[in-house]
Amino acid sequence: ILSNNIVENLRLHAKSRPSYPAMIHADKVLSYSDLWFEVTCLAASLRQKGIGQSSTVGVCLGDNMGHLISLHALAFLGAIILPMDIRWKTSEKNRVLFKFNATFVITESELDITSDIQVIRISIDEKRSWDGLEPLKTPVQAESLPLILSLSSGTTGAPNGPLITHE
């Protein structure tokens, strides 16, 4: 039985289909059990840095496994995901982070952030900051919690967007 919660669905797949491929990128394949391990270890690292339920976190990553692992780890913690395009200008990134009161941003490279937002750099290919951490066991279980901001600038050019829940 599948759940409305994306993290719970991943956990169920890791339990029932541990060796099945969950993600394929270039020549790298992650099974469901490996993906669950990566997600829960990254969630432990992000929790240590202060990210928790209802934290608004900008995600400014390229199209790679680290991006998907990060999204799942944030959902695991009950954080609100603020998607950001890596191609945006610095001023656009700062405007979106400020508009939605983000307290953290996850990126692969240096960002010139003009506020007190904590920048967390990650990489799936190098030694990961979550290597050696004990994986978290229990995700936040609240399907009505906000999950992601669906961004649009519409015709105004000003960022806005509704909060979407797991439901």
Side-chain angles (χ1 to χ4, degrees), residues 43-117:
S45 174
L46 295 175
R47 180 175 284 166
Q48 282 183 346
K49 292 174 178 12
I51 296 176
Q53 187 172 324
S54 300
S55 297
T56 301
V57 182
V59 179
C60 190
L61 298 168
D63 297 332
N64 55 48
M65 288 185 171
H67 193 148
L68 291 175
I69 292 167
S70 297
L71 294 176
H72 281 86
L74 291 168
F76 186 102
L77 294 171
I80 300 168
I81 299 164
L82 177 59
M84 300 172 62
D85 193 319
I86 61 172
R87 298 167 295 200
W88 287 349
K89 297 176 185 172
T90 299
S91 61
E92 294 170 306
K93 292 174 187 174
N94 279 303
R95 185 173 59 226
V96 166
L97 291 166
F98 178 76
K99 164 76 176 175
F100 293 101
N101 297 314
T103 49
F104 299 88
V105 63
I106 297 174
T107 183
E108 296 161 311
S109 58
E110 291 297 323
L111 285 180
D112 186 19
I113 303 301
T114 58
S115 62
D116 293 333
I117 296 169

Side-chain angles (χ1 to χ4, degrees), residues 6-21:
I6 191 170
V7 175
E8 180 59 16
N9 284 329
L10 177 57
R11 187 192 68 75
L12 291 171
H13 281 295
K15 186 176 180 180
S16 65
R17 300 172 177 88
S19 62
Y20 282 45

